[in-house]
Amino acid sequence: MLSDAELRVLRAVAEALIPPGGPFPLGAGDVGTAERLARYLQGMAPETERQVRLLLRAWEAAPLASRHLRRFSRLAPAAREEWGERCLASRLPWRRIPLLLLKTLCLSAFCADPRIEQALGYGHSCLDARAPGTGPRLTPLQYPEVRGDVAEVADACVVGSGAGGAVAAYELARAGLRVVVLEEGGYFTQADFTGPPMERVQRFYRNGGATVALGRPTIPLPLGKCVGGTTVVNSGTCFRTPQHVLGEWASVHGVADADPATMAPYFDEVERMIGVRPVPWEIIGRNAEVFDRGARALGLEGEPIRRNIVGCRGCGECAFGCPSDAKQAMHLTYLPAACTAGARLYARCRVERVSLESGRTAGVEAVLLERDGDAVRGRLRVRAPLVVVAAGAIHTPGLLARSGVRHPALGRNLRIHPAVGVTSYFADELHAWRGTLQSYFVDRLLDSHGVMIEVTNPVPGVNAAALPGVGMALKEGLARFRHAASAGLFVSDTGSGRVRRFPGGREPLVTYRLAPADARALCEGIALVADIFFAAGAESVYTGVAGLPEIRHPREAAVLREGRFGPAALQPTGFHPMGTAHMGGDPARSVTDSWGAVRAARGLHVADASLFPTCVGVNPQVSIMAFAARIARRLAR
């Protein structure tokens, strides 16, 4: 729990960011934003809660070193707002980034209140009024049905149930192996996918959505934590690994038998299993329609994104669990198929280590957790000569290290596809959150700058943090939210990061440094997105770049192409962690071989995005699945 002093600072911050009155009458104090946020913090990892507390203390003390000579909570309301405006416009990351983090947290809690949703005009409605479908259901083993000391004997144990783990489990099980799948997260169905988006982030994301990579700047890394992994809460965008990326993996990194012709059957099978198809225009939404209009006006090529959907109604809530069972995530496709083939699935089961005996895999040691907490209620030991680790690029390296795997590249080479968002405002009300969440793409800058542009709907409580300004300027943005459209873009990063054990904590320490070249590429992409929105008729565009106010003409975006804005001026998010146990032909440089086998640990394999030697350059779900199928079929043989 926050102390009284910490809660007082949090109230002061929230009320300075979102004061009462103005063009959007309700303020943070009117709906108990600080108290709601304090409750959110209780659901985060202890180390994250400590970091937020340190952030509050630092923010409280910061004005003491300025002309104010007072703590933040002791400033007059006008002085608090002025201090916030100065920090938000600053190019100095130690002034700007803390405010951005606090702004994100406070706005997420603020917009989760039903009164705010109503005032914004946000409703959980779908473009297609048909009744939702219902997909298959699972019956995972978990506490209290299983408790105490539990033993399993299997041919293969799969750690993780996301894009990599679910596919590997299915391929191994249908080949006749006895398979056990272990998932730390809980099992959720469409009945759980209701309520404010931020409330769902708290339930379905690891660490309440507060995982970050520390660096310049600090970058959020949202990760799913549930049966089905991040596929349950991603946007469902499906691209194959580009041919030039596969070529680079072969020629530079020595990855064998992964050329386009060899991989094509795996892509075909994966796409068939999860129903990949372009987004129908009937459910694409105004956000994509506006962007398409602007792209065509500029002579650019764009098209609907291919997604894993069957019976999609255009609800715009894909990142918070699909309420229609339309997004064909792993809990609706590969996992039911694996269980039908005989696989046994455990939920709320945290793997502590892989057992190695004389350099060979012997099985897995895990603990059974409460359904709604992290209290340990039992222990599970799986005896298996084959273990496939698919815990994701952030957690796979830690599990391998805890199990005794040593390699100089383990935990290094972290790539994240740094992504930023751009918001525009139109004269008409768009209600742009209605329709498919991620729906349309323009790849004009993919070959030249490594930048992919994808239309992503503005969602209150999530995208609201991208609104301009603080105080009354922010209230004006909230009042215009019905008029907003948005798009996202990410870059194939040339910079990299590292995943290490956090001293005394369960969550790893993630560090990352955004490369200046990647920042310049992102700015080029932001400028193009601004051009597209203006061509579509936008009155103004907010780029989110420090030192660049809301722009009102395309010529004002030209400054973004001049290379004047570095990493500290951006506020990226990393949605696609990759590369921390990468495969390759050189044992000295790569943690795993071309088929995910961990070197010096027979029977231990990796089947997730950790394998990728470089960025995929596109959303990686289908790439992860295809490589997991390739690996698992080889293991089954």
Side-chain angles (χ1 to χ4, degrees):
M1 296 291 291
L2 295 181
S3 68
D4 290 342
E6 290 166 337
L7 189 57
R8 183 181 68 247
V9 176
L10 189 55
R11 285 197 193 99
V13 171
E15 291 168 13
L17 288 169
I18 320 166
F24 190 85
L26 290 170
D30 297 321
V31 295
T33 298
E35 290 74 16
R36 181 186 293 268
L37 182 52
R39 292 194 298 273
Y40 286 170
L41 292 176
Q42 294 180 53
M44 297 178 184
E47 48 267 37
T48 301
E49 187 176 348
R50 287 195 295 270
Q51 291 168 4
V52 173
R53 288 182 168 188
L54 287 173
L55 178 62
L56 287 172
R57 293 170 191 165
W59 185 259
E60 170 76 337
L64 289 170
S66 72
R67 62 180 179 80
H68 291 290
L69 298 176
R70 289 188 178 185
R71 295 182 180 275
F72 181 80
S73 64
R74 305 298 183 188
L75 296 175
R80 291 178 187 172
E81 185 171 334
E82 184 265 342
W83 175 253
E85 289 171 348
R86 288 173 56 196
C87 290
L88 192 63
S90 176
R91 297 280 191 92
L92 301 175
W94 53 88
R95 293 192 63 181
R96 180 170 175 260
I97 297 303
L99 179 60
L100 289 174
L101 294 173
L102 289 169
K103 181 180 176 182
T104 299
L105 290 170
C106 290
L107 273 168
S108 296
F110 178 71
C111 292
D113 189 282
R115 291 166 289 183
I116 303 304
E117 287 191 339
Q118 183 178 5
L120 289 169
Y122 179 68
H124 302 271
S125 60
C126 310
L127 286 182
D128 189 328
R130 288 178 301 168
T134 300
R137 294 291 179 260
L138 298 166
T139 54
L141 299 163
Q142 57 187 324
Y143 177 84
E145 287 77 19
V146 289
R147 65 179 77 190
D149 293 331
V150 181
E152 287 268 9
V153 178
D155 299 313
C157 181
V158 178
V159 180
S161 66
V167 173
Y170 166 71
E171 294 290 351
L172 295 171
R174 76 168 180 163
L177 278 69
R178 295 172 297 170
V179 178
V180 173
V181 184
L182 308 181
E183 168 59 51
E184 183 178 357
Y187 175 53
F188 303 103
T189 69
Q190 69 186 132
D192 300 295
F193 302 145
T194 60
M198 193 57 197
E199 301 282 359
R200 290 189 248 172
V201 169
Q202 286 286 304
R203 297 182 64 198
F204 311 142
Y205 283 69
R206 180 173 290 276
N207 199 18
T211 302
V212 298
L214 301 176
R216 187 183 183 194
T218 293
I219 300 176
L221 298 172
L223 307 171
K225 183 182 175 182
C226 46
V227 171
T230 301
T231 70
V232 177
V233 291
N234 68 9
S235 295
T237 296
C238 295
F239 287 100
R240 296 188 177 193
T241 315
Q243 292 191 15
H244 75 274
V245 173
L246 293 175
E248 181 183 355
W249 290 359
S251 62
V252 177
H253 299 276
V255 177
D257 295 336
D259 57 277
T262 302
M263 292 301 300
Y266 298 109
F267 289 127
D268 291 341
E269 175 68 11
V270 164
E271 291 174 349
R272 182 190 66 78
M273 282 281 288
I274 62 175
V276 174
R277 67 202 67 196
V279 177
W281 280 100
E282 294 78 13
I283 58 169
I284 206 164
R286 293 290 306 280
N287 203 40
E289 291 171 357
V290 162
F291 206 76
D292 176 66
R293 184 172 74 221
R296 291 179 181 276
L298 295 178
L300 301 175
E301 293 184 0
E303 60 185 90
I305 284 173
R306 290 169 58 82
R307 302 179 65 245
N308 55 324
I309 49 174
V310 176
C312 179
R313 299 187 299 145
C315 305
E317 299 188 351
C318 320
F320 320 107
C322 177
S324 306
D325 270 359
K327 185 178 66 173
Q328 300 297 288
M330 297 304 97
H331 70 304
L332 297 174
T333 53
Y334 273 91
L335 287 174
C339 291
T340 299
R344 289 166 62 80
L345 169 65
Y346 281 81
R348 299 299 290 133
C349 178
R350 185 173 66 230
V351 174
E352 295 187 326
R353 62 188 292 269
V354 178
S355 302
L356 299 177
E357 298 176 358
S358 301
R360 184 168 188 85
T361 301
V364 165
E365 296 179 11
V367 293
L368 303 172
L369 306 174
E370 289 181 330
R371 292 197 183 195
D372 298 315
D374 284 334
V376 175
R377 296 301 184 186
R379 302 194 67 85
L380 170 67
R381 182 169 187 179
V382 181
R383 296 290 297 179
L386 173 64
V387 173
V388 178
V389 177
I394 300 301
H395 289 86
T396 284
L399 175 56
L400 296 180
R402 292 196 304 274
S403 305
V405 175
R406 300 291 180 265
H407 193 282
L410 183 62
R412 298 179 183 271
N413 189 50
L414 173 67
R415 309 298 178 90
I416 61 173
H417 279 166
V420 295
V422 179
T423 302
S424 59
Y425 295 96
F426 289 76
D428 297 335
E429 288 190 359
L430 299 178
H431 297 270
W433 52 79
R434 300 190 70 230
T436 302
L437 182 68
Q438 200 167 75
S439 51
Y440 184 94
F441 76 97
V442 171
D443 59 0
R444 176 65 172 267
L445 298 176
L446 187 58
D447 292 337
S448 60
H449 292 79
V451 170
M452 173 67 85
I453 299 170
E454 297 175 350
V455 170
T456 304
N457 289 1
V459 178
V462 180
N463 297 79
L467 294 171
V470 300
M472 286 302 161
L474 178 56
K475 300 298 289 291
E476 183 180 336
L478 288 166
R480 293 184 293 160
F481 203 75
R482 302 180 194 210
H483 300 256
S486 67
L489 57 145
F490 62 80
V491 63
S492 294
D493 36 337
T494 58
S496 64
R498 186 175 179 186
V499 179
R500 285 172 281 195
R501 182 168 177 244
F502 198 110
R506 286 198 311 268
E507 294 297 310
L509 173 64
V510 185
T511 55
Y512 182 89
R513 190 173 183 86
L514 182 64
D518 297 336
R520 290 193 295 271
L522 285 171
C523 285
E524 185 75 27
I526 293 169
L528 180 57
V529 170
D531 289 344
I532 292 171
F533 275 133
F534 280 123
E539 294 183 329
S540 65
V541 173
Y542 179 61
T543 65
V545 177
L548 188 62
E550 194 170 340
I551 59 178
R552 302 187 179 277
H553 192 278
R555 63 173 173 268
E556 296 178 47
V559 68
L560 289 161
R561 297 186 167 98
E562 297 173 0
R564 291 165 49 184
F565 298 98
L570 300 178
Q571 184 190 358
T573 300
F575 292 103
H576 307 147
M578 299 167 276
T580 51
H582 67 88
M583 59 185 168
D586 185 350
R589 295 172 53 204
S590 53
V591 179
T592 58
D593 71 9
S594 297
W595 293 273
V598 177
R599 303 187 189 279
R602 289 173 295 164
L604 180 58
H605 292 256
V606 173
D608 60 25
S610 305
L611 293 173
F612 300 154
T614 68
C615 289
V616 179
V618 294
N619 303 61
Q621 175 177 312
V622 167
S623 298
I624 296 168
M625 297 174 71
F627 273 90
R630 168 182 174 272
I631 290 166
R633 289 184 190 177
R634 180 183 175 91
L635 292 176
R637 290 195 298 268

